[in-house]
């Protein structure tokens, strides 16, 4: 309808506005009031006549020119400026237009045109001639005038002699540049004469082009400037119709008398607030965002309604509008023919209807359907309706197809058809009761409904499925190429196995739940936009949804029995939609051709990798090479879909912790999104990561776990690791381990790391916990710059010894674990002077002297040396308890106060026993010089003893006789360490017995009992610790006594 108000008019340059044409082409027309000083009228002056537009310029040029007459004949070399002009051809939307009314009848003068004098009008025209063909228009709104072309005109003076035909030389010259390029050779004189009528209009153009300066050629920027769209002043966005908006349109007129309301392009979303406009006759609401027809019931006088270019889908709620005659609904979203019939209820007397550019226009026989629903129409989509066309639509109503018993007899079959050339007889043919036409009388009782297994009702223009209630045995049905808009009427066909609804107008999947046995479903060439309701079809193996409007495959995730899927030529754009089919383990044939996602790089590889059981993709078989290539490209990639599946959302800014363990990941590209700026904990254990450079830049990450991966380092030369280079620091901001500046905890256990400096750990200034257990590290270096490190785990590596600078600089280190490494020495461990926990189990430390190197660790509280040779040494634990007073736990067992007291008592007794033994040896030497042979003879028959280790848990510190626990065999021996268990502590007992023997407090029989006990212990072959030294001293003394006495 708006095209009727569109006109192409001329605009000429007024002498009072020089250069106006160039300004208009650049900036558009001026506001209407600015034309009053030059044109006397406060409006944009336009005309449909070239002469009227250029007449002011011609008059001014003639007045300024000399009185010399114009030259006649051929055009001069320097053309007269007044004979050449330029005009603008503008596209004008006249909208509401009326003739000029302001004429002063007394003086015959025209009153200047002003907007105030023409309230409610967009433009005014003035007829110049009596016939009214030449007109001048005055447009009040400059935004309604769009300059499109700049044309040049040339005037021919009276008596002008036409130019003679161009010579062959001129035509040949022109043909060299134009005609020659067309025929591929130079034109001869004869050929030039033959094409003279074609080339002559181009001669002057070619000459003017030759005169153009080559220094100022047209370029791309000029072309782009000429093609720029006009800058129209945008209208205010009001979003809803309020009284203030209506009052602004009324311009002071009473609202109850307002007849025209134009609110186009105002972003209005709902129709409301029109109750106070009973006299409104025309309402323009085009180019808005209206989705529903509502709020128009009070406009009883409305005659014209423009709702074009909105978002309307349904037409219910329109009326009642008894006076409505013209309705514009073009460029909306109306898709159902049934909605057209609803217009008759709201506007029964509508005569002009515009539904162009709606989806419903693509329906079969759309125009016939509209005329059938609205027989009173006079114009549809701007085309007048002829009587013949209206009568044809009425006849179509009378013969409209419907499913009748006779139709079922004609198209029903009692057995399956294998092809159309050898098809079985229909039910009507078998029963010899065929009908010549559908209009024969139906006799439902004569139809053998129980025998009908297949019906084919294709190409019959059916608009609705009904009348199938008695087909209880139906197994195959075809309704192709009809006008069906819904899936219905199949509730009683529970045995249906194959259903074809191709080429209809169906918009959604519905009412399929009763068809539990359905195996094949064809819904191609419809208007389906969403897939749902397939979960109940547990036997569906083949589905065709080609040529629809589907944008997502999410609704197919529950069709687990599907084996063949044909969904080409839809609106699938995102490659990750294929992920929705990942759960269809039986899918072997897939056709996605014709969708936008098919042009995505690596589309085929991604589909093959995602759908492992697939055999055919887009009609092409999948070879083993395709599967191998897909695995190489996509195996182990972290995608956005995987993250959404894990997290349940895509708001990365809210993610603080992320667990991606055991995901077989090789790449982490999805984590490079800027939204992960708040991620603090990341678990990547048990994956397939090889290189730490794949780590993204995560500025807030504090805990990173990469245990049980394939991380390896290239070996570097031994020695201290070099400082991090400037290039490496710059690269750290883009990714890699060096970019994690906030990292505090790093787990790299059970990888393939052999070179710690290659990890560039020195950039992690905040690192507090580092786990490197289960790797292949042979030398500990590259950690000395981690000054904040508190915990270091190096278990199960190949570290045999520590270098002097290995732990230098780790002044805050509190826990160090180097178990199962083959460590032989404890040298340089004391460099970590603040150690509180030291685990050195399952190494090769064998010498008690190595324990002395730990005495500098004054803060050490827990020490583990289990499964080392030194842990089996005599007095291993007591020596640690005595030497390292800060220890609280040894080998996982806490040191109790009683154990400390026993240790102190034992070492005090040993000191006293050693002093007594030395004095006794001195006295024995003295007795040897005085002939005390009889006393020594009693020891001559004795043999050397081996002493076993002592059990300190069984020692008692109370004073008792030595023989108190063994039947009084040694009744005279007393001391703090011999009350019980002398079998385990025979070395100390023997030393103390020698001491008491010297003091005379123990008789010879008691000392011999101690010797017998030591000899029994010696039969076990155990000789350890300081007890062995005491016994050896006594044995030397006994031997010397034998030598001295000659025994």
């Amino acid at each position: 309808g708006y095209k009727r108000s569109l006109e192409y008019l001329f605009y000429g340059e007024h002498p009072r506005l020089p250069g106006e044409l160039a300004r208009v082409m650049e900036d558009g027309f001026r506001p209407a009031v600015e034309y009053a000083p030059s044109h006397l009228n406060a409006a944009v002056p336009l005309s449909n006549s070239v002469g009227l537009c250029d007449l002011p310029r011609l008059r001014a040029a003639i007045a300024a020119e000399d009185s010399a007459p114009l030259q006649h004949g051929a055009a001069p070399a320097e053309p007269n400026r007044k004979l050449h002009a330029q005009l603008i051809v503008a596209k004008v939307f006249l909208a509401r237009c009326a003739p000029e009314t302001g004429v002063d009848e007394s003086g015959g003068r025209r009153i200047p045109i002003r907007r105030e004098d023409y309230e409610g009008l967009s433009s005014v025209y003035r007829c110049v001639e009596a016939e009214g063909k030449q007109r001048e228009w005055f447009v009040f709104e400059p935004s309604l005038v769009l300059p499109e072309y700049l044309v040049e005109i040339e005037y021919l003076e009276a008596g002008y002699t036409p130019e003679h035909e161009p010579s062959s030389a001129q035509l040949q010259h022109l043909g060299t540049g134009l005609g020659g390029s067309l025929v591929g050779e130079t034109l001869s004189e004869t050929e030039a004469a033959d094409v003279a009528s074609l080339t002559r209009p181009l001669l002057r153009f070619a000459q003017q082009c030759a005169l153009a300066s080559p220094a100022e050629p047209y370029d791309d920027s000029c072309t782009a400037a000429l093609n720029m769209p006009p800058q129209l002043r945008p209208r205010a966005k009001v979003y809803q119709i309020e009284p203030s908006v209506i009052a602004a349109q009324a311009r002071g007129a009473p609202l109850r008398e307002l007849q025209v309301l134009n609110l186009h392009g105002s972003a209005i979303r709902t129709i409301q607030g029109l109750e106070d406009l009973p006299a409104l006759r025309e309402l323009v609401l085009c180019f808005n965002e209206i989705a529903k027809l509502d709020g128009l019931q009070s406009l009883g006088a409305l005659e014209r309604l423009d709702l074009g270019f909105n978002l309307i889908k349904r037409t219910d709620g329109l009326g009642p509008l008894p006076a409505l005659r013209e309705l514009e609904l073009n460029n909306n979203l109306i898709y159902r023919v049934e909605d057209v019939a609803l217009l008759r209820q709201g506007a029964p007397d509508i005569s002009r209807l515009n539904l162009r550019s709606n989806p419903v226009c693509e329906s079969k026989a759309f125009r016939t359907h509209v005329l059938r629903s609205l027989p009173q129409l006079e114009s549809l989509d701007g085309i007048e309706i002829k009587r013949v066309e209206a009568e044809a639509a009425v006849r179509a109503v009378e013969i409209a197809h419907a499913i009748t018993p006779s139709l079922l007899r004609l198209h029903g079959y009692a057995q399956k058809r294998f092809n159309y050339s050898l098809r079985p007889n229909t039910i009507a043919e078998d029963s010899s009761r065929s009908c010549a036409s559908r209009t024969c009388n139906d006799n439902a009782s004569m139809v053998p409904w129980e025998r009908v297994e297949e019906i084919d009702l294709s190409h019959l223009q059916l608009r609705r499925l009904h009348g199938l209630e008695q087909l209880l045995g139906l197994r195959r049905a075809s309704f192709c190429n009809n006008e069906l808009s819904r899936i219905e009427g199949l509730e009683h066909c529970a045995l249906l196995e194959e259903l074809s609804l191709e080429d209809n107008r169906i918009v959604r999947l519905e009412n399929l739940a009763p068809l539990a046995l359905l195996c094949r479903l064809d819904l191609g060439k419809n208007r389906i936009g969403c897939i749902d309701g397939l979960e109940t079809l547990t036997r569906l193996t083949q589905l065709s949804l080609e040529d629809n409007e589907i944008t997502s495959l999410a609704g197919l995730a529950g069709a687990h029995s599907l084996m063949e899927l044909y969904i080409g030529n839809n609106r699938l754009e995102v490659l990750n939609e294929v992920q929705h089919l990942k759960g269809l383990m039986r899918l072997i044939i897939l056709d996605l051709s014709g969708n936008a996602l098919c042009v995505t790089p690596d589309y085929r590889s991604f589909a093959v990798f995602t759908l492992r059981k697939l055999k055919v993709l887009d009609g092409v078989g999948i070879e083993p090479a395709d599967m191998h290539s897909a695995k190489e490209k996509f195996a182990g990639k972290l995608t956005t879909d995987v993250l959404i599946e894990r997290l349940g959302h895509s708001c990365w800014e809210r993610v603080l912790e992320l667990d991606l363990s055991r995901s077989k990941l090789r790449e982490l590209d999805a984590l490079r999104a800027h939204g992960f700026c708040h991620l603090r904990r990341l678990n990547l254990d048990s994956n397939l990561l090889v290189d730490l450079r794949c780590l993204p830049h995560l500025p807030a990450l504090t805990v990173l776990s990469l245990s049980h991966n394939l991380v390896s380092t290239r070996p570097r030369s031994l020695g201290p690791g070099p400082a991090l280079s400037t290039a490496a620091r710059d690269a750290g901001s883009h990714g890699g381990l060096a970019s994690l500046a906030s990292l505090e905890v790093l787990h790299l256990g059970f990888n393939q790391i052999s070179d710690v400096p290659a990890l560039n750990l020195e950039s992690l200034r905040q690192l507090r916990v580092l786990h490197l257990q289960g790797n292949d590290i042979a030398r500990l270096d590259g950690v000395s710059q981690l000054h904040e490190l508190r915990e270091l785990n190096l278990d199960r590596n190949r570290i045999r010894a520590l270098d002097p600078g290995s732990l230098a600089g780790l002044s805050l280190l509190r826990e160090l674990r180097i178990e199962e490494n083959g460590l032989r020495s404890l040298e340089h461990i004391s460099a970590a002077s603040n150690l509180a926990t030291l685990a050195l189990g399952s190494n090769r430390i064998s010498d008690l002297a190595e324990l002395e190197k730990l005495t500098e660790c004054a803060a050490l509280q827990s020490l583990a040396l289990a499964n080392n040779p030194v842990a089996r040494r005599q007095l291993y634990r007591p020596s640690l308890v005595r030497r390292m007073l800060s220890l609280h736990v040894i080998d996982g067992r806490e040191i109790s106060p009683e154990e400390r007291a026993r240790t102190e008592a034992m070492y005090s007794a040993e000191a006293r026993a050693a002093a007594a033994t030395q004095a006794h040896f001195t006295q024995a030497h003295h007795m040897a010089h005085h002939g005390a042979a009889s006393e020594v003879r009693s020891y001559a028959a004795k043999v050397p003893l081996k002493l076993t280790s002592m059990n300190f848990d069984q020692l008692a510190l109370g004073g008792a006789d030595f023989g108190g626990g063994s039947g009084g065999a040694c009744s005279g021996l007393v001391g703090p360490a011999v009350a019980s268990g002398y079998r385990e502590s025979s070395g100390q007992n023997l030393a103390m017995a020698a001491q008491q023997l010297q003091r005379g407090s123990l008789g010879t029989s008691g000392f011999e009992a101690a010797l017998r006990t030591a000899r029994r212990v010696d039969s076990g072959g155990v000789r350890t610790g300081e007890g062995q030294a005491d016994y050896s001293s006594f044995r030397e003394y006994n031997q010397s006594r034998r030598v001295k006495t000659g025994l």
Side-chain angles (χ1 to χ4, degrees), residues 129 131 142 158 218 255 267 307 373 545 599 621:
E129 298 179 343
E131 298 177 358
Y218 275 104
L255 296 183
L307 288 167
S373 302
L545 289 168
V599 300

Side-chain angles (χ1 to χ4, degrees), residues 31 114 191 213 372 407 439 471 586 681 684 828 1003 1014 1017:
R114 299 181 304 171
E191 292 172 339
S213 174
R372 187 168 56 194
L407 193 65
T439 57
L471 302 181
R586 302 182 62 186
R681 302 176 65 92
L684 294 169
H828 307 304
V1017 174

Side-chain angles (χ1 to χ4, degrees), residues 1-2 93 96 120 235 238 240-242 245-247 249-250 255 258-266 268 270-288 290 292-310 312 317-319 321 323-330:
Y2 70 92
F93 183 71
R96 294 187 60 83
R235 292 177 61 89
V238 299
Q240 59 182 354
I241 304 175
E242 297 180 349
V245 177
I246 301 176
Q249 290 288 326
L255 296 183
L258 187 64
Q259 296 186 2
V260 179
L261 179 60
N262 188 346
L263 295 174
H264 78 279
S266 301
I268 297 173
T270 58
I271 303 175
Q272 59 183 4
L274 302 177
E275 296 80 5
D276 298 332
L277 305 176
L280 193 65
R281 300 179 59 186
E282 181 176 350
L283 176 61
V284 179
L285 293 172
C286 57
F287 296 98
N288 284 289
I290 300 171
K292 187 177 181 181
L293 294 177
D294 212 351
L296 299 170
Q297 294 80 2
S298 60
L299 305 179
L302 191 66
E303 297 179 0
R304 183 177 182 271
L305 176 61
D306 188 352
L307 288 167
F309 296 93
N310 278 281
I312 300 171
L318 177 63
L321 299 175
L324 190 64
R325 298 294 183 270
E326 185 176 350
L327 177 61
E328 300 279 347
L329 285 171
N330 57 294

Side-chain angles (χ1 to χ4, degrees), residues 874-875 877-878 893 899 902-903 906 910 947-957 976-989 1017 1022 1024:
Q874 177 69 22
L875 301 180
R877 187 178 176 92
R893 203 175 88 192
E899 185 178 3
R902 289 196 297 267
T903 301
M906 181 195 72
E910 288 180 359
L947 303 181
T948 183
S949 60
M950 293 176 294
N951 189 341
F952 289 97
D953 294 336
Q954 296 180 2
L955 291 178
L957 299 180
V978 294
S980 63
Y982 63 90
R983 292 180 182 272
E984 291 78 10
S985 57
S986 58
Q988 274 71 17
N989 291 341
V1017 174
V1022 180
T1024 60

Side-chain angles (χ1 to χ4, degrees), residues 542-691:
Q542 179 177 326
L543 176 62
S544 177
L545 289 168
E546 297 176 309
D547 299 288
N548 278 279
E549 301 174 3
I550 298 171
T551 58
S552 175
L553 299 177
L556 293 171
H560 300 291
S561 60
L562 204 59
M563 299 178 65
E564 302 179 28
L565 176 60
Y566 305 93
I567 196 167
N569 298 319
N570 277 275
R571 298 183 180 180
L572 300 172
E573 300 179 356
V574 183
L575 183 58
N576 290 333
E577 288 293 332
V578 181
Q579 294 275 5
H580 295 299
L581 307 179
K582 195 172 183 179
L584 308 184
M585 305 308 298
R586 302 182 62 186
L587 187 64
I588 59 175
I589 299 177
L590 175 63
D591 186 3
L592 290 168
S593 58
N595 285 283
L597 61 83
C598 295
V599 300
T600 306
D602 298 326
Y603 147 71
R604 184 173 178 86
S605 299
F606 181 78
V608 172
F609 174 78
T610 305
L611 310 175
R612 305 297 178 88
K613 301 292 184 180
L614 209 59
K615 302 298 181 185
V616 180
L617 177 61
D618 297 341
V620 181
I622 298 175
E623 303 294 337
D626 297 333
M627 302 179 66
H628 178 73
S629 175
K631 186 176 181 180
E632 288 293 327
K633 289 181 180 179
F634 294 100
K637 281 191 175 182
L638 180 63
T639 62
T640 305
D641 293 318
V642 174
L643 290 176
I644 294 176
E645 183 180 353
R646 290 289 184 96
L647 300 173
H649 61 85
S650 59
C651 299
W652 313 135
E653 295 82 0
R654 293 161 37 193
V655 180
L656 301 180
E657 299 184 10
L658 183 58
D659 186 359
L660 295 173
S661 59
R662 298 179 178 85
S663 301
K664 300 181 180 179
L665 298 178
R666 297 177 185 270
E667 299 179 7
L668 304 172
D669 292 341
L671 290 180
R672 299 187 184 277
H674 296 291
F676 289 101
C677 56
H678 298 140
L679 185 63
R680 297 183 60 84
R681 302 176 65 92
L682 178 60
N683 187 356
L684 294 169
D685 290 344
S686 303
N687 282 289
L688 302 174
L689 299 174
V690 177
D691 197 340

Side-chain angles (χ1 to χ4, degrees), residues 23 28 153 261 411 484 514 573 579 610 711 749 923 979 1039-1040:
R23 198 204 66 81
I153 60 175
L261 179 60
H411 300 279
L484 303 174
E573 300 179 356
Q579 294 275 5
T610 305
V711 178
Q923 182 180 4
Q1039 185 67 22
S1040 64

